[in-house]
């Protein structure tokens, strides 16, 4: 995959089974056989990808919720989203 850009659309894959537990998302990758706890911000990212959405929209939503600059948010979010993609938990399209 090329570098993730602001215009890429992200969506959840069907191979991840997720559930809310104490206001945080926990999930299991059926394909990987791995369990993940996403934490507060990771859980918010997961919720934002319920419907296909752009990286830019995710960043803008997080900026509205947290006191963070666009640049810092992008630097923090992009590697996490890339990791979710590499684990097969999200789809990325142009």
């Amino acid at each position: 995959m090329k570098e993730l850009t602001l215009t890429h659309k992200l969506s959840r894959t069907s191979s991840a089974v997720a559930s809310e537990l104490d206001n945080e998302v926990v999930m299991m990758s059926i394909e990987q056989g791995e369990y993940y706890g996403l934490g507060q911000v990771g859980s918010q990212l997961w919720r934002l990808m319920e419907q296909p959405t752009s990286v830019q929209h995710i960043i803008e939503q997080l900026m509205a919720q947290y006191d963070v600059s666009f640049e810092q948010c992008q630097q923090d979010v992009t590697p996490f989203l890339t990791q979710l993609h590499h684990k097969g938990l999200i789809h990325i399209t142009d």
Side-chain angles (χ1 to χ4, degrees):
M1 181 189 83
K2 297 177 185 175
E3 186 175 332
L4 194 61
T5 67
L6 296 174
T7 58
H8 278 119
K9 295 275 187 186
L10 310 175
S11 60
R12 301 175 189 176
T13 65
S14 60
S15 67
V17 178
S19 182
E20 293 274 339
L21 181 66
D22 294 328
N23 292 325
E24 293 185 358
V25 173
V26 292
M27 68 177 148
M28 178 158 188
S29 169
I30 295 170
E31 290 178 4
Q32 301 285 330
E34 295 179 345
Y35 166 84
Y36 307 95
L38 295 184
Q40 182 181 359
V41 177
S43 295
Q44 183 61 22
L45 284 168
W46 188 254
R47 289 180 199 108
L48 289 169
M49 290 184 287
E50 185 172 356
Q51 299 295 322
T53 190
S54 70
V55 174
Q56 179 156 346
H57 181 259
I58 290 171
I59 291 170
E60 289 169 353
Q61 293 299 309
L62 292 174
M63 287 174 52
Q65 195 167 12
Y66 301 99
D67 183 23
V68 63
S69 70
F70 184 89
E71 292 78 16
Q72 185 63 55
C73 192
Q74 184 178 15
Q75 288 175 10
D76 293 343
V77 166
T78 302
F80 180 74
L81 294 172
T82 301
Q83 184 179 25
L84 289 178
H85 181 256
H86 288 303
K87 297 262 185 204
L89 300 170
I90 62 172
H91 295 291
I92 299 175
T93 57
D94 291 325

